[in-house]
Amino acid sequence: MNIKLKIVFCFIVITGCTALTVSAGSPRYYSPLSLTTVLPMFLVYSTGISGVALSFIAAIPNALVFLISTLSLAEQDSKLTKPFIIFCAIIILLSIAFFVVSFSYGVTYQGFSHTVLMCIFSGAFITAIFAAFKFNNQKPNINNALAFRVFFFSWVGWVSFPWLGEMI
């Protein structure tokens, strides 16, 4: 399959995964209300758009950043750049710090099982991101670099900074 078609397919997958985070309207196991999607949702909500359209529109910023990160892939460059790796590492570290700081709030307001499940989902994604990073460093190719980006942006959009506090 052509790399540009793969990127478009991955864009659609990331948009859907990101839209899923706000699909229930309140924190659920499948809809953790990730901060990275909730903030754009609040901006769009003020326009009067609601429902499924709101979820997908709020997912667009994350998917667009994914597209920007794949510009080098479209030119057949499978190397992950240092600035992009540093950006990813900072987001991962901030997410881990977020979980550490907000764990007690999550247990109080969302329940122990919900909070632990969010940690497990996030940990599984972070593990997949590291595995994709390792595979791309060992055997650099476009598919490995694309897998890294898909895992990273799906995680950022869906569960990287889930809502773990009181409802607004």
Side-chain angles (χ1 to χ4, degrees):
M1 181 187 290
N2 180 332
I3 187 61
K4 291 181 182 179
L5 288 176
K6 287 180 185 179
I7 291 171
V8 169
F9 176 76
C10 292
F11 174 84
I12 293 167
V13 167
I14 289 169
T15 303
C17 189
T18 302
L20 183 64
T21 197
V22 294
S23 63
S26 63
R28 302 280 187 264
Y29 295 129
Y30 63 91
S31 178
L33 297 179
S34 179
L35 181 66
T36 58
T37 308
V38 169
L39 291 178
M41 185 183 74
F42 284 153
L43 294 173
V44 174
Y45 186 75
S46 65
T47 65
I49 297 172
S50 62
V52 175
L54 177 63
S55 298
F56 280 97
I57 291 170
I60 294 297
N62 183 49
L64 287 177
V65 175
F66 162 77
L67 275 182
I68 291 167
S69 81
T70 61
L71 290 176
S72 64
L73 291 180
E75 298 171 4
Q76 304 296 324
D77 183 13
S78 61
K79 186 178 179 184
L80 297 172
T81 63
K82 286 196 189 275
F84 182 64
I85 293 168
I86 291 169
F87 168 75
C88 294
I90 289 170
I91 298 297
I92 289 170
L93 291 174
L94 286 173
S95 178
I96 291 169
F98 171 82
F99 272 106
V100 169
V101 169
S102 62
F103 189 85
S104 63
Y105 290 109
V107 171
T108 301
Y109 296 108
Q110 305 304 324
F112 182 77
S113 62
H114 177 86
T115 305
V116 169
L117 194 57
M118 292 303 105
C119 289
I120 290 169
F121 286 161
S122 193
F125 263 100
I126 290 170
T127 301
I129 292 165
F130 279 121
F133 176 76
K134 183 178 177 182
F135 288 140
N136 194 57
N137 278 348
Q138 290 175 348
K139 185 179 176 187
N141 67 45
I142 291 174
N143 291 331
N144 290 343
L146 187 59
F148 174 83
R149 286 171 172 84
V150 168
F151 284 129
F152 179 75
F153 286 104
S154 293
W155 169 75
V156 166
W158 185 53
V159 74
S160 60
F161 298 91
W163 190 271
L164 293 176
E166 293 182 75
M167 292 309 297
I168 303 173

